[in-house]
């Protein structure tokens, strides 16, 4: 956050480079401070998961901020174009997040019982419900855009709210002992 705020004061290109380098370092290092510690492969998979979910959900929140409170016809048209261009990126990032998430969940939970009977597993199910809601909102707006209709601002807002909820649950997950450790 500090780097992002500082980059606003710097010239755009220099600030963006500083922000990108700091963000890349955080994506590479942060997983090794939590559940990914002790295993190069788990840490690397966490880094991938963090990068693709950040790219996906960060753009969802940016889209919500760009939608504004009272969009003009031009803004609605621009949002529809953004959704059309963003959809392939979102699909790839969501698929990579899903695939890496399944592997990580298996490593940490290990069974359906672990998913249903542990606090960690129930938090993970809550996260998955929020991610499913994000996907549903995105899918509905994508369908609207494909039919030539403007995006639904309520869906954009809900998608961003579920993204924030996903991050909050993820923060709890990173601080919760997983069944493998019990």
């Amino acid at each position: 956050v500090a780097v992002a705020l500082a980059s606003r004061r710097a010239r755009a290109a220099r600030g963006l480079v500083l922000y990108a380098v700091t963000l890349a370092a955080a994506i590479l290092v942060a997983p090794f401070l939590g559940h990914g510690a002790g295993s190069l492969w788990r840490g690397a998979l966490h880094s991938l998961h963090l990068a693709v979910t950040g790219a996906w959900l960060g753009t969802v929140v940016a889209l919500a901020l760009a939608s504004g409170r009272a969009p003009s016809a031009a803004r609605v048209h621009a949002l529809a174009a953004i959704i059309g261009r963003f959809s392939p990126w979102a699909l790839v990032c969501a698929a990579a997040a899903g695939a890496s998430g399944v592997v990580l969940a298996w490593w940490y939970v290990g069974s359906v019982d672990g998913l249903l009977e542990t606090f960690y597993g129930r938090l993970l199910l809550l996260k998955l419900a929020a991610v499913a809601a994000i996907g549903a909102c995105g899918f509905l707006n994508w369908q609207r855009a494909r039919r030539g209709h403007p995006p639904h601002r309520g869906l954009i807002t809900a998608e961003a709210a579920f993204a924030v909820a996903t991050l909050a649950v993820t923060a709890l997950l990173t601080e919760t002992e997983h069944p493998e450790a019990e």
Side-chain angles (χ1 to χ4, degrees):
V1 171
V3 171
L5 292 173
S7 69
R8 290 182 60 136
R9 297 219 181 263
R11 288 190 333 194
R14 204 173 50 197
L16 185 58
V17 169
L18 176 62
Y19 178 75
V21 168
T22 305
L23 182 61
I27 288 170
L28 292 172
V29 171
F32 292 98
L33 302 175
H35 289 327
S39 169
L40 179 63
W41 294 112
R42 285 185 190 185
L45 191 57
H46 273 286
S47 291
L48 172 69
H49 191 71
L50 183 57
V52 294
T53 55
W56 175 33
L57 299 182
T59 307
V60 165
V61 172
L63 181 63
L65 294 173
S67 69
R69 294 190 190 274
S72 65
R75 182 178 282 171
V76 168
H77 179 71
L79 285 174
I82 291 168
I83 289 171
R85 292 179 125 183
F86 174 59
S87 294
W89 175 256
L91 187 58
V92 168
C93 288
S100 59
V102 165
V103 173
L104 289 167
W106 182 255
W107 273 341
Y108 295 124
V109 178
S111 69
V112 174
D113 288 341
L115 191 62
L116 299 174
E117 296 174 3
T118 65
F119 181 65
Y120 185 91
R122 288 189 294 273
L123 276 177
L124 185 57
L125 287 173
L126 183 60
K127 178 182 176 179
L128 294 175
V131 169
I134 295 166
C137 293
F139 177 79
L140 291 171
N141 258 338
W142 174 69
Q143 286 293 308
R144 289 178 61 85
R146 286 191 61 199
R147 290 191 306 263
H149 298 292
H152 191 277
R153 282 185 33 236
L155 286 172
I156 293 172
T157 302
E159 192 174 4
F162 284 120
V164 170
T166 299
L167 294 175
V169 174
T170 301
L172 291 172
L173 276 170
T174 62
E175 295 302 317
T176 302
E177 191 170 348
H178 46 83
E180 175 192 69
E182 293 176 351

